[in-house]
C-alpha cells in the first residue's frame, strides 16, 4: 500500500514536471479519439435523426398513385389488409403559382390526417378554404410572407382549375415542412411547366373537388420498430410493394368497368346535350322570326294611330276658332250696352247736378233773405220796444211831474237819471234833459215835447220797417215757388236713375249667363286638347318602343348569326369529341398503379449515402492523429527513460522488479491516454457531429441532430489509443530494462557525432557555411525526431490542403459549370399553348434586343434514370430546335479526351457523372423514364464534361423517332454578355409576355449555389483547427524534447556569447528545415488525402473538380509556417531563461 | 590600474528560508597577462566569483572592473557581448558539442568573435592538428580539454577563465593543460585565471588568491613562477 502511494506520487510528480509532454500525448489522443468517434458517430446520428423525424411525423411506408386516381374500391381493398397500421387517402394537384408561375404541388390537408404530418415552421395550417400554408423552402420564403394573397393557375390550358379545386386565390397563413421532402431544393418531377416542382403548398382538403383520391399513403405495423435504413425494413417494404401491386390491379379491372359505364353515361349525356343545343338553336331562330312579325304589326298600328290623331287635331282646331269668335262677339255687345248705360247715367247725373245747384242757389237766396228779414224784424221790435218804453215813461213822467221838483229827493232824481240814461233821441238823452229839469233849466214841457217827438219819430221808423219787411216776404215767396219747382224735377231725375240701375242689373245678369256658357265651352275644348296631347305622346312612345324592338331584333339577329356559327362548330366539335370518346372508351385500359416506398425517394437515399460517407471519412483522419500520437508517445517515453536511467538503474540495483519500474511509465502513458480518450469521446460524440450536421442542415430540412453513444466506436478508439501509447512505451522500456543496473546508472554516452551523407558530397558541403553544416549534422543526428516532425508537419499541411481542396473542389465546380460548361445566361420557360400573337410578341422582344447574341429554342423535360443498385437520378433533357447550334450554348466536350461533339451528328449526348454512375460508355444504350411513365432508350453518342446535375441532349430527329411526336419547344436558351442591369431590364421585358412562364438566370443560380457552398467552410475550419492543433503539439513537444536533450549544448553556446536569437535559431533552424520538408511531404500526402476524401464525399448529381488548386498548397504552406513560427516564439522565450551555469555544472 | 579588479563583491543564494552567502565581500586584482590561480576548498565560492567575472552571472553587490569597465552594471545583452568578445571559458567537463568535430567546435567560437584567431593555428598551438576532424567522443579527456581551450583561445579573449580544467584529468594530462594555459598568458599576453583546489599548482602562478568560506583569505604574489615541469604532485 505504502509502495503504491509512493508510486502514484512519483507519477504525479512526473506529470507535473513534464506538463508539455503529458499534454501533448493527451491532446493527440484526444484529437484521434475525438475525430474517430465523432466522425463515426455522425453518420449513425444523422440516420437516427432522420428516422426519428420520420417516425414522429408518421411518414408513409408506401405511397400509391394511379393514373385514374384512387377510389373507394382501392381503399376498401387496402383496408382489408391486416398488416396495415394506418391508411389515408389524400388529394394533391400540380399547379402554377403566383406572379412567377412557380410550379407547386398543391396538397390537401385534413385535420384528421395522421400520416406525413407537417411541421409548422411559421404561422399555422390553413383553417379556411381560402387559406394556404407554403413550403418552408428558399424559393417561397424569399418571396412570400404571411398575409400575402396568392393566386394559382392551371398547369395546362386543357384542364380547368375549377375541376379540381374550388378556390384559386388564397391567403398565406403559414410555412410548413413536409417529411416527404427532406432537402431544401428538390421537390420532384411534374408534367406541367418546366417539369420540375419548385415547392408545395397546403390547403384544406375540402378545397379539392375531386371525387377520387390522388394519393393513398400507408404505414405498416411492421415498420414501427424498424429503422428505415435497416435492411429488414427495406426488404419488408419491398415485399409489401410487390404484393400490393397485383392486388390493386385486380381492383383496377373492376374499376375499369365502372369507369367505362360512367364514361358511356357521360357520352350519352353528351349526346343529349348536343341534341338540346340543336333544339335551342332552332328555338332561337323561331323566336327571332316571331319577333320580326310582331314588329311589322306594330308599325302598321302606329301609322293608323297617327292618321286618327291628325283628324282629331283638325276638328279641335276648328272648334277652337268658333269659341274664340263667340267670345269676341260677347265682349263687343257687352261693351256697347255698358257704354249706353254709362251715357244715360252721365246725363242723369248732369241734370241732377243742375237741379241740385238750382236748389242750393235758392236755398242760398232764402238764407240771404233771412238775415235782412231778421234785422228788420229786430229793428221793428226794438223800435216798438222803444216806443213802448217812451210811452210808459211818458206816463210815469206825467205822474212824476205831478210832484213838484222840490219835493223830489235826490235819491229819486238819481234813480230817474240812472233809469233814463239810455233814453236818447236825436242825440239828446232824456237823462240829460231830466238833469236839466232837476236843475231847473229844462221845463216839463220841453220834456213832454221831447217825449212826443220821440214817440212820433219812432212810429215813423216803425212803419218804414214794416214796408221793408213786406218786400222781403214777397221775395221769399217767389223763391219758395222756384224751389218747389226744382224739387219736382229732382224727383224726376231720381226716377231716371232707378230705371238705369235696373237696366244695369239686367245687363250683368245677361253677362254672367253668357260667361258661364263660354267657360263650359272652353273646358270642353281643353279636354279635347289634352286628349290630343296624350294621343301624341302615346304615339311617340309607341314609336320609341317600336324602334327599340327593331334594334333588339337586329342585335338578336346578329348575335344569333354569330352564335349560330360557334354553336354549330361547337356541336360539331362535341360530336367529334364524342366520337373520339367512344373510340377511346373502346381503347380504355385498366388503371396503372404506381407504388413507391420510402427508398424510392432519391432524397432519402441520398441522405443515407451522405451519412454513410461520413463513416468513410471517419477512418482516414483519425489514422493520421493516432499515428502521430504513437510517434509522439515514442519520443516522449524514450526521452523520459533516458532522463531517468540513473533512477531506473538505482531502483533496479535496489532490487525492484522490472514490473515495478515499468509501472510508472505505463501509468504515465495510460493516464495521458485515458484522459485524452475520454475527453476525446465526449467532444467527439457531441461537438463534431453537430458541427457537421449544421453544415448539412443547409441542404436538409431536418430537426436538430439526435446524439447517441456508441460502444463499438468507443471501444475501437480506446483500443487504438491505448495501443498507440502503451505499445510504444513497452517497446522503449523493453530495450532499456534488458541492460544491467550498472550500465543504466552510468550516464548514457552522448550520442557521438557522425559524418553525414551530405559531407561526402564535398563540393556541396564546402559551399555550406558553418551554421548550415551544424544544422545539417544535427538534423541527421536525431533521425527519429526528424521523421516525426516531418510526419507531424506533413499531417498538418495535408489536413489544410484537404480542407481548402475540398472547398475548392466544390466551389470550383460552380465556376466551371457556369463559366465553362454552360455558356448561356438564361433559360426562358415558354407556354407552348400560348396564342400565335403572344408568341410573335415574344419573338419581337428577343429579336429587337441588341444585347442578346444568340437564342435557341429547346424542348425541356425532366426524365428519370433508373438502374438497380444505383440511386435513381433526375436527368434534364434538352431537345434543341437546331442541334448544330447547341455547342454555342453548351460546351460539348469530353473532359479527359477533349473530344468535341456535335449533337446533329451524335444524336444523344449525356453528361459525365451520369455516365459514371450508370457505367455507360459511348455507344452504349441508356434508358430513361418520362414523367408520363414512357420510356426512352437512346444510344449514347457522346459523354461531356459537366459538374452539376445530369443532362441528356437529344436531337429533334431522335426525339421524333422515339416518341413519334414532334417536340413542342417549351423553352429558349439565351446568350448575352452578363450584366446585372441588363438582366433586370430583360426580366422586366419578359415578364410582360404571356408566352413566358418563367425565366431562370444562370447568374442567380450560381449565386444560390455559392451561398449553399458556404457550409463547406465549416469543414475547412474543422480541418484547419485540427491541423493547427496537430502542428502545435508535434512541434512544441518535439522542440521541447530537443531543447531538454541538448540543454548543455545550448548553454555552451550561450557561454560562448551567442545572442538569444542566435541561440533560438541554432536549434530552430532545424525546425524550419523540418517544417519545409513537412510541407513538401504534406503536399504529396495532402494530394492523396484530397483524392480519397473527394472520392468518399462525392455526391450523385455533382462531379467535384478533381484538380487541386495551387492556392490550397499555398494556404497550407503559409498556415503551417505560421504555426511553426508561433511555436518558435514560445521556444524563444523559454530558451532566454535557460540557466547556463546550472546546466554546465555537472557531468551528465 | 589592474586589468581585473574585483571590489567587495557579494553573491547570495536564497534557498527557501536559508540564505547562502557564496561570496562575501571578495576583493582582488589581477594584472594584465598574469597567470592567476584561485585556490580554495570545495564550496568556498570560487566558481561563483569566476562565473561573475566571466559575465555568466551578476553580483548582488560590489563592482567588477575588467579593462576599467564595470561589468557588474552590465545588462544581460551587454554581458553576452562581453562574453562573446572578451572572455574565453574552460570548464571541468569540457562541454564540447558532441555532434561537431574538434575543429568545428573551435570554429563555433571563432565564427562569432570579431578578432578571432585562425582556427588551424590555434589547433596547432594546442597540438591537435592531427585530431581536428575527430568528434569529441573519439578524443581522450585531455584532448577534449585541449579542444575546449582551443575553442576559448580562438576568440582571442582578453580574459581566459578556467574552472578546474584539470579536475577530470590524470596528472600527466593535467600538467599538459596547465602548461598550455601558462604559455597562453605568456605568449598572447592574455590574462588567465584558473580555479583549482590543488594547492600544488600555486607555485606556477604569478598571483595566487586564496578563497575560504566565501572570502579572500590571502593574496600571494609570486615574483618567480615556476614552470609546470618543476612541480611535483
Ligand atoms: N545556484 C546556486 N544555488 C544555491 N546555492 C549555490 C548555487 N551555486 C553555488 N551555491 C552555493 O554556493 C556555495 C559556493 O559554491 P561554489 O562557488 O560552486 O563553490 P566552489 O566552486 O568553490 O566549490 C556553495 O555552498 C554552493 O552550495
Ligand atoms: Mg566550483
Amino acid at each position: 500500500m505504502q509502495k503504491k502511494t509512493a508510486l502514484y506520487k512519483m507519477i504525479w510528480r512526473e506529470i507535473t514536471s513534464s506538463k508539455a509532454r503529458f499534454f501533448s500525448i493527451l491532446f493527440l489522443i484526444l484529437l484521434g479519439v475525438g475525430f474517430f468517434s465523432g466522425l463515426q458517430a455522425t453518420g449513425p446520428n444523422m440516420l437516427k435523426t432522420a428516422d426519428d423525424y420520420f417516425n414522429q411525423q408518421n411518414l408513409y411506408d408506401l405511397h400509391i398513385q394511379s393514373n385514374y386516381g384512387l377510389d373507394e374500391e382501392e381503399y376498401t381493398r387496402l383496408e382489408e389488409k391486416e398488416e396495415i397500421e394506418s391508411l389515408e387517402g389524400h388529394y394533391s394537384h400540380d399547379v402554377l403559382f403566383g406572379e412567377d408561375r412557380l410550379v407547386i404541388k398543391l396538397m390537401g390537408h385534413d385535420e384528421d390526417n395522421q400520416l406525413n404530418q407537417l411541421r409548422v415552421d411559421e404561422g399555422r395550417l390553413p383553417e379556411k378554404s381560402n387559406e394556404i400554408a407554403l413550403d418552408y423552402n428558399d424559393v417561397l420564403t424569399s418571396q412570400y410572407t404571411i398575409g400575402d394573397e396568392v393566386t394559382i393557375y392551371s398547369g395546362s390550358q386543357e384542364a380547368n382549375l375549377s375541376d379540381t379545386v374550388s378556390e384559386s386565390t388564397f391567403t398565406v397563413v403559414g410555412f410548413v415542412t413536409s417529411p416527404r421532402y427532406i432537402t431544401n431544393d428538390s421537390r420532384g418531377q411534374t408534367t406541367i411547366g418546366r417539369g420540375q416542382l419548385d415547392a408545395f403548398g397546403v390547403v384544406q382538403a375540402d378545397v379539392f373537388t375531386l371525387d377520387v383520391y390522388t394519393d393513398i399513403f400507408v404505414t405498416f405495423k411492421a415498420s414501427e420498430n424498424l429503422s428505415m435504413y435497416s435492411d429488414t425494413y427495406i426488404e419488408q417494404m419491398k415485399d409489401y410493394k410487390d404484393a400490393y401491386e397485383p392486388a390493386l390491379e385486380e381492383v383496377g379491372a373492376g374499376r375499369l368497368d365502372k369507369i367505362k359505364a360512367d364514361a358511356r353515361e357521360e357520352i350519352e349525356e353528351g349526346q343529349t346535350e348536343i341534341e338540346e343545343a340543336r333544339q335551342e338553336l332552332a328555338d332561337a331562330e323561331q323566336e327571332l322570326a316571331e319577333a320580326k312579325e310582331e314588329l311589322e304589326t306594330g308599325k302598321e298600328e302606329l301609322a293608323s294611330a297617327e292618321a286618327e290623331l291628325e283628324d282629331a287635331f283638325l276638328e279641335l282646331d276648328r272648334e277652337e276658332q268658333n269659341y274664340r269668335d263667340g267670345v269676341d262677339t260677347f265682349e263687343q255687345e257687352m261693351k256697347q250696352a255698358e257704354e249706353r248705360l254709362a251715357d244715360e247715367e252721365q246725363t242723369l247725373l248732369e241734370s241732377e247736378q243742375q237741379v241740385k245747384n238750382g236748389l242750393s242757389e235758392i236755398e242760398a237766396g232764402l238764407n240771404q233773405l233771412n238775415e235782412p228779414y231778421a234785422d228788420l224784424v229786430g229793428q221793428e221790435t226794438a223800435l216798438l220796444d222803444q216806443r213802448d218804453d217812451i210811452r210808459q215813461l211818458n206816463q210815469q213822467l206825467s205822474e212824476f211831474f205831478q210832484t213838484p221838483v222840490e219835493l223830489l229827493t235826490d235819491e229819486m232824481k238819481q234813480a230817474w237819471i240812472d233809469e233814463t240814461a239810455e233814453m236818447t233821441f236825436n242825440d239828446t238823452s232824456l237823462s240829460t234833459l231830466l238833469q236839466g229839469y232837476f236843475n231847473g233849466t229844462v221845463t216839463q214841457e220841453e220834456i213832454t215835447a221831447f217825449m212826443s217827438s220821440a214817440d212820433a219819430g219812432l212810429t215813423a221808423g216803425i212803419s218804414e220797417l214794416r214796408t221793408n219787411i213786406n218786400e222781403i216776404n214777397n221775395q221769399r215767396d217767389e223763391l219758395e215757388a222756384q224751389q218747389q219747382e226744382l224739387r219736382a224735377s229732382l224727383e224726376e231725375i231720381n226716377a231716371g236713375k232707378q230705371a238705369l240701375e235696373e237696366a244695369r242689373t239686367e245687363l250683368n245678369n245677361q253677362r254672367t249667363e253668357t260667361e258661364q256658357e263660354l267657360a263650359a265651352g272652353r273646358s270642353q275644348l281643353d279636354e279635347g286638347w289634352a286628349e290630343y296631347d296624350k294621343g301624341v305622346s302615346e304615339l311617340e312612345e309607341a314609336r320609341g318602343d317600336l324602334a327599340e324592338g327593331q334594334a333588339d331584333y337586329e342585335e338578336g339577329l346578329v348575335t344569333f348569326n354569330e352564335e349560330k356559327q360557334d354553336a354549330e362548330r361547337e356541336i360539331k366539335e362535341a360530336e367529334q369529341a364524342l366520337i373520339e370518346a367512344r373510340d377511346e372508351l373502346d381503347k380504355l385500359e385498366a388503371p396503372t398503379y404506381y407504388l413507391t416506398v420510402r427508398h424510392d425517394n432519391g432524397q432519402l437515399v441520398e441522405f443515407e449515402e451522405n451519412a454513410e460517407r461520413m463513416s468513410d471519412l471517419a477512418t482516414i483522419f483519425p489514422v493520421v492523429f493516432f499515428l502521430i500520437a504513437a510517434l509522439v508517445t515514442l519520443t516522449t517515453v524514450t526521452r523520459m527513460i533516458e532522463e531517468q536511467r540513473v533512477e531506473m538503474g538505482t531502483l533496479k540495483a535496489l532490487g525492484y522488479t522490472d514490473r515495478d519500474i515499468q509501472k510508472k511509465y505505463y501509468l504515465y502513458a495510460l493516464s495521458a491516454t485515458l484522459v485524452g480518450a475520454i475527453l476525446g469521446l465526449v467532444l467527439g460524440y457531441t461537438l463534431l457531429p453537430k458541427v457537421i450536421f449544421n453544415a448539412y442542415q443547409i441542404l436538409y430540412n431536418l430537426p436538430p441532430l439526435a446524439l447517441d453513444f456508441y460502444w463499438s466506436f468507443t471501444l475501437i478508439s480506446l483500443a487504438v489509443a491505448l495501443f498507440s501509447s502503451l505499445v510504444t512505451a513497452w517497446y522503449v522500456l523493453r530495450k532499456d530494462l534488458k541492460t544491467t543496473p550498472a550500465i543504466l546508472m552510468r550516464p548514457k554516452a552522448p550520442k557521438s557525432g557522425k559524418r553525414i551523407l551530405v559531407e561526402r558530397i564535398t563540393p556541396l558541403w564546402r559551399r555550406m557555411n558553418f551554421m548550415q553544416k551544424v544544422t545539417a549534422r544535427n538534423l541527421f543526428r536525431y533521425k527519429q525526431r526528424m521523421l516525426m516532425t516531418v510526419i507531424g508537419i506533413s499531417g498538418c499541411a495535408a489536413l489544410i490542403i484537404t480542407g481548402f481542396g475540398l472547398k475548392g473542389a466544390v466551389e470550383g465546380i460552380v465556376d466551371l459549370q457556369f463559366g465553362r460548361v454552360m455558356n448561356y445566361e438564361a433559360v426562358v420557360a415558354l407556354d407552348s399553348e400560348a396564342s400565335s400573337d403572344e408568341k410573335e410578341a415574344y419573338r419581337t422582344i428577343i429579336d429587337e434586343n441588341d444585347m442578346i447574341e444568340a437564342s435557341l429554342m429547346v424542348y425541356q423535360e425532366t426524365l428519370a434514370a433508373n438502374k438497380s443498385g444505383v440511386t435513381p437520378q433526375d436527368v434534364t433533357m434538352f431537345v434543341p430546335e437546331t442541334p448544330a447550334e447547341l455547342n454555342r450554348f453548351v460546351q460539348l466536350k469530353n473532359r479527359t479526351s477533349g473530344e468535341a461533339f456535335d449533337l446533329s451528328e451524335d444524336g444523344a449526348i449525356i453528361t459525365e457523372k451520369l455516365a459514371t454512375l450508370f457505367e455507360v460508355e459511348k455507344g452504349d444504350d441508356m434508358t430513361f423514364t418520362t414523367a408520363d411513365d414512357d420510356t426512352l432508350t437512346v444510344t449514347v453518342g457522346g459523354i461531356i464534361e459537366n459538374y452539376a446535375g445530369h443532362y441528356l441532349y437529344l436531337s429533334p430527329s431522335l426525339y421524333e423517332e422515339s416518341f413519334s411526336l414532334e417536340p413542342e419547344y417549351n423553352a429558349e436558351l439565351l446568350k448575352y454578355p452578363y450584366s446585372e442591369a441588363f438582366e433586370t431590364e430583360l426580366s422586366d421585358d419578359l415578364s410582360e409576355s404571356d408566352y413566358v412562364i418563367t425565366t431562370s438566370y444562370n447568374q442567380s443560380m450560381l449565386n444560390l449555389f455559392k451561398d449553399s457552398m458556404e457550409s463547406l467552410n465549416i469543414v475547412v475550419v474543422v480541418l484547419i483547427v485540427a491541423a493547427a492543433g496537430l502542428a502545435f503539439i508535434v512541434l512544441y513537444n518535439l522542440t521541447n524534447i530537443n531543447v531538454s536533450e541538448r540543454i548543455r549544448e545550448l548553454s555552451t553556446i550561450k557561454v560562448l556569447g551567442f545572442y538569444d536569437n542566435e541561440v533560438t535559431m541554432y536549434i530552430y533552424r532545424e525546425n524550419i528545415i523540418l517544417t519545409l520538408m513537412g510541407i513538401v511531404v504534406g503536399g504529396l500526402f495532402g494530394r492523396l488525402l484530397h483524392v480519397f476524401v473527394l472520392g468518399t464525399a462525392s455526391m450523385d448529381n455533382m462531379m467535384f473538380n478533381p484538380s487541386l488548386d495551387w492556392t490550397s498548397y499555398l494556404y497550407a504552406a503559409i498556415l503551417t509556417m505560421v504555426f511553426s513560427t508561433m511555436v518558435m516564439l514560445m521556444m524563444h522565450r523559454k530558451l532566454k531563461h535557460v540557466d547556463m551555469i546550472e546546466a554546465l555544472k555537472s557531468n551528465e | 590600474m589592474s586589468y581585473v579588479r574585483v571590489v567587495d563583491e557579494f553573491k547570495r543564494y536564497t534557498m527557501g528560508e536559508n540564505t547562502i552567502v557564496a561570496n562575501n565581500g571578495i576583493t582582488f586584482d589581477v594584472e594584465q597577462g598574469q597567470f592567476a590561480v584561485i585556490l580554495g576548498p570545495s564550496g568556498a565560492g570560487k566558481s561563483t566569483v569566476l562565473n561573475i567575472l566571466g559575465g555568466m552571472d551578476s553580483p548582488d553587490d560590489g563592482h567588477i572592473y575588467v579593462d576599467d569597465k564595470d561589468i557588474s552594471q552590465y545588462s544581460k545583452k551587454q554581458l553576452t557581448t562581453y562574453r562573446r568578445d572578451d572572455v574565453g571559458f574552460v570548464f571541468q567537463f569540457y562541454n564540447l558539442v558532441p555532434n561537431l568535430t574538434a575543429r568545428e567546435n573551435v570554429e563555433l567560437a571563432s565564427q562569432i568573435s570579431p578578432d578571432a584567431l585562425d582556427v588551424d593555428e590555434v589547433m596547432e598551438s594546442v597540438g591537435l592538428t592531427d585530431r581536428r576532424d575527430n568528434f569529441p567522443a573519439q578524443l581522450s579527456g585531455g584532448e577534449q580539454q585541449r579542444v575546449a581551450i582551443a575553442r576559448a583561445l580562438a576568440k582571442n579573449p582578453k580574459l581566459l577563465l578556467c574552472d578546474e580544467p584539470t579536475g577530470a584529468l590524470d596528472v600527466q594530462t593535467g600538467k599538459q593543460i596547465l602548461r598550455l594555459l601558462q604559455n597562453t598568458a605568456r605568449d598572447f599576453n592574455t590574462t588567465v585565471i584558473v580555479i583549482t583546489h590543488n594547492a600544488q599548482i600555486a607555485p606556477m602562478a604569478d598571483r595566487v588568491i586564496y578563497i575560504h568560506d566565501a572570502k579572500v583569505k590571502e593574496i600571494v604574489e609570486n615574483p618567480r613562477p615556476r614552470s609546470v615541469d618543476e612541480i611535483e604532485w
Side-chain angles (χ1 to χ4, degrees), chain A residues 751-755 770 774 777-778 781 1048-1049 1052-1059 1062 1066 1140-1141 1144-1147, chain B residues 51 56-57 77 80-81 83-84 89 91 93 95 97-101 104 107-109 111-112 133 135 137 151 155:
Chain A
K751 233 179 169 186
S752 80
K754 248 195 268 168
R755 300 243 166 236
F770 177 71
V774 172
R777 185 109 23 77
N778 278 336
R781 184 161 111 196
R1048 275 180 93 79
E1049 193 177 327
T1052 306
I1053 62 166
K1054 261 187 131 168
V1055 170
L1056 281 176
F1058 277 58
Y1059 290 118
E1062 286 172 336
Y1066 179 80
M1140 44 192 163
I1141 304 168
L1144 294 174
K1145 225 180 224 171
S1146 62
N1147 191 6
Chain B
N51 288 341
M56 282 155 70
D57 211 344
K77 176 113 193 257
T80 310
T81 311
R83 291 202 300 272
R84 190 181 181 108
F89 230 106
F91 299 97
F93 299 112
N95 287 328
V97 179
N99 200 32
L100 299 179
T101 61
E104 283 161 357
E107 261 186 302
L108 193 61
Q111 278 286 323
I112 58 164
D133 286 333
F135 286 98
R151 187 174 67 188
K155 296 208 289 186

Side-chain angles (χ1 to χ4, degrees), chain A residues 780-800:
Chain A
F780 289 97
R781 184 161 111 196
Y782 307 103
K783 288 199 196 64
Q784 189 196 40
R785 264 206 304 277
M786 173 176 114
L787 196 70
M788 227 166 318
T789 313
V790 172
I791 290 174
I793 299 292
S794 65
C796 165
L799 287 179
I800 299 174

Side-chain angles (χ1 to χ4, degrees), chain A residues 404-687:
Chain A
V405 148
E406 307 77 36
L407 290 169
L408 291 170
T409 73
D410 284 344
E411 264 177 32
M412 276 177 71
K413 284 175 193 171
Q414 194 61 50
W416 277 90
I417 294 170
D418 282 351
E419 231 173 264
T420 62
E422 276 173 28
M423 261 322 283
T424 1
F425 193 75
N426 289 354
D427 294 337
T428 313
S429 164
L430 186 50
S431 52
T432 323
L433 286 167
L434 274 168
Q435 202 93 25
Y437 169 63
F438 291 147
N439 289 355
T441 56
V442 167
T443 62
Q444 271 182 358
E445 287 84 11
E446 281 176 294
I447 290 177
T448 320
F450 177 74
M451 281 303 265
S452 336
S453 76
D455 194 317
L458 276 168
T459 311
I462 287 162
S463 79
E464 202 181 338
L465 273 171
R466 286 230 175 113
T467 28
N468 279 350
I469 284 168
N470 282 344
E471 212 176 319
I472 284 171
N473 279 344
N474 288 344
Q475 273 176 9
R476 180 175 282 153
D477 289 345
E478 209 176 311
L479 274 173
E480 271 170 0
Q482 273 178 11
Q483 198 174 24
Q484 205 57 47
E485 223 173 292
L486 276 175
R487 275 194 182 132
S489 67
L490 199 57
E491 263 332 83
E492 243 170 86
I493 285 168
N494 278 344
K497 255 187 187 167
Q498 190 67 34
L500 195 63
E501 216 40 53
E502 272 160 31
R504 184 161 276 146
T505 311
E506 209 178 324
L507 186 66
N508 278 345
N509 287 346
Q510 213 176 328
R511 179 198 302 255
T512 318
E513 219 170 282
T514 319
E515 265 173 0
Q516 267 167 1
E517 256 165 61
L518 276 174
R522 180 72 256 171
S523 74
Q524 220 174 325
L525 205 58
D526 282 347
E527 249 164 64
W529 279 119
E531 224 166 284
Y532 171 76
D533 284 344
K534 210 172 106 190
V536 168
S537 71
E538 263 168 12
L539 189 70
E540 218 48 51
E541 220 170 277
R543 202 177 272 137
D545 284 349
L546 193 70
E548 232 169 79
Q550 182 74 28
D552 279 352
Y553 166 75
E554 266 154 28
E555 210 181 73
L557 194 65
V558 172
T559 322
F560 173 74
N561 283 338
E562 271 171 16
E563 270 174 16
K564 186 182 174 184
Q565 263 179 347
D566 285 351
E568 271 167 358
R569 203 189 51 221
E570 262 169 49
I571 288 170
K572 208 168 269 170
E573 275 171 10
E575 269 173 342
Q576 188 60 38
L578 274 184
I579 293 168
E580 275 166 28
R582 280 204 189 89
D583 279 358
E584 246 169 70
L585 188 65
D586 294 337
K587 281 190 233 151
L588 214 55
E589 279 171 27
T592 316
Y593 294 92
Y594 307 98
L595 285 81
T596 45
V597 294
R598 288 189 193 179
H599 276 263
D600 291 325
N601 181 338
Q603 295 181 348
L604 298 188
V605 177
E606 193 190 290
F607 179 76
E608 183 182 8
E609 283 169 358
N610 276 339
E612 275 161 7
R613 213 167 278 142
M614 290 314 304
S615 305
D616 296 336
L617 288 179
T619 33
I620 188 75
F621 286 118
V623 163
V624 178
F625 293 114
F626 280 131
L627 180 69
I628 294 167
L631 290 175
V632 168
T633 315
L634 182 71
T635 354
T636 310
V637 177
T638 309
R639 177 65 197 155
M640 240 168 84
I641 291 165
E642 264 169 26
E643 279 171 5
Q644 296 171 4
R645 283 167 62 86
V646 182
E647 188 191 307
M648 277 169 69
T650 313
L651 287 173
K652 213 170 171 178
L654 285 172
Y656 279 88
T657 61
D658 285 358
R659 270 179 58 111
D660 289 333
I661 298 167
Q662 280 174 326
K663 225 181 217 165
K664 174 180 160 183
Y665 303 99
Y666 283 136
L667 278 177
Y668 182 89
L670 188 72
S671 50
T673 307
L674 275 183
V675 174
I678 288 165
L679 288 176
L681 284 172
V682 170
L683 289 177
Y685 280 142
T686 55
L687 206 62

